[in-house]
Amino acid sequence: MTGVVETLSQSIVDVGWLAIFTIHGLILFLLGWTLIIRRLRVSTDRRRQEMVCIWRPILAQSLIEAPDTLPSIHPRDRLLFLYLWNHLQESIKGESSDALCAVMRRTGMDHVVQYYLTKGTLRQQLLAIVTLGHLKEQAAWDRLGELAHDANAFRSLEAARALVRIDAPRAIPVLVPLISQRADWSPLKILAILQGAGNEHVAQALGEAAVNAEPLIAARLIRFLGSIRSHRALPLIRPLLVRQPLHEDVLASCLALFGQCSDPRDLPTVRQYSAHPTWFIRVQAAAALGKMGVEEDAAILIGLLNDTHWWVRYRAAEALSVLPTMTDDKLSLLVQTLPAGEERHILTPFVAKRFETSLSQNSGLSAA
Amino acid sequence: MSTTETTGKPTLFMAEDEEDTASLLKFLLERAGYHVIHAPDGHQAQQLIDTMAPPSLVLLDIMLPHVSGLQLLPYIRKKTEWQRVPIIMLTADSSEHDIQQALAAGANDYMVKPFNPRELTARLSRFLKLAA
């Protein structure tokens, strides 16, 4: 019996020692591993810093005059070089951009970028797409055109942007059908692409596409026209309002476009829809009146302060405070004459905001 | 006393937080013959404004950490010695509201990023000539 107990105790002690050694071994292994990773990280950071210190002045100098010699780029530094180069490209505009393109070609990195485009990882491919756009590389047009149809929204959007950078007039007819269809494309990114393409090219193509599109797509396209304030598209879009049946989303986006463009010829139409039975049409009409209205439109907006829908009252109050003919004195008088209910309550924050802006502008001017 | 008189070169005070852009601007401006004093954020800009002699020109980014360019503008303009210093605002986008606010608060001009390096140096030298 005593022998069995002793053997059991010895086994427990053995297991305990084994556990202690294993834990210590693991701790030492993790410590060693952490030190190795840290050392690698420090060495990578140092290498990157050296690369940046060498290339940043060279790239900056190339904006003024072409450098006589260029250092070679180690394969492991290629991505970092491309980041630096693209960042600089996006900080400048004008003829300096061509000087940077010349550096890219002299280093031979344009061939590397072509390789990344076809055989690279997603990260390398995205970087290649952006670079080829800045390089205005016509030879990559077909491949970028294919990538603009890619299922991955990041890849396709960057390819679309690159196409615009290479040749905007040629890219817009390719991109407008995609803009109509791709619900996964961020509207803000689409807007940035359209602004990069220049309003002249965009307005006609988007306007024509909107006229022939289904109502929901047409509304989406017209909203983009509004965001780029495209006056050129107005003659194309106005006839949509006499079509029957007129889809309410199309009508709302047309009113937003009219407000952004503020063409006086559209004022009667906007006024007419301020009494529309659908609340979001009245919202757009009120917002548009705030941008393009004249003195007599204040009465319409004051009437909308009493609307049954909160958003209409809110937009009407905002519109009153920014109406082109509205002065600080008129607005103060208006607030005092309104009954002390919802109408005055909803207008008050906008009045305060307007006065705050006036105050900060006046104080800035007097200080100057 | 303007710092132009102490260094021999016109001094340009630049407040820009974005490291790459600041480095590019510093390179371009030094090549164009300016002595550049750089503040990487609004706090440091404020400290430098308090301690340094008024420069020949100020280049101020609108979006700065801690204290924005729009907040620094009235601060600069309230200083008697700095009131006549031309201030050019740098803005990352052409936000009309920011630009209006900056001009109303005493900025003399603005430039939208991305910028054309030649245009930037041409504008700066125009302001220097006007101020001379």
Side-chain angles (χ1 to χ4, degrees), chain A residues 342-360:
Chain A
E342 171 68 8
E343 289 156 273
R344 189 189 287 189
H345 177 71
I346 204 151
L347 186 58
T348 306
F350 291 107
V351 176
K353 191 180 164 191
R354 184 181 165 120
F355 287 160
E356 191 192 346
T357 311
S358 304
L359 204 66
S360 67

Side-chain angles (χ1 to χ4, degrees), chain A residues 133-205:
Chain A
H134 284 304
L135 279 171
K136 297 183 173 51
E137 188 60 72
Q138 290 283 353
W141 182 271
D142 292 339
R143 179 69 185 129
L144 289 172
E146 285 168 23
L147 288 172
H149 291 80
D150 195 274
N152 182 314
F154 289 110
R155 204 164 15 210
S156 53
L157 264 169
E158 283 310 327
R161 194 199 299 267
L163 288 174
V164 167
R165 281 187 176 133
I166 293 171
D167 188 346
R170 193 175 159 203
I172 288 299
V174 178
L175 297 186
V176 168
L178 285 170
I179 292 169
S180 307
Q181 293 155 14
R182 296 291 295 249
D184 59 336
W185 280 12
S186 148
L188 282 177
K189 292 210 168 182
I190 294 176
L191 197 57
I193 292 173
L194 294 178
Q195 282 166 340
N199 290 358
E200 293 282 312
H201 303 304
V202 170
Q204 192 73 19

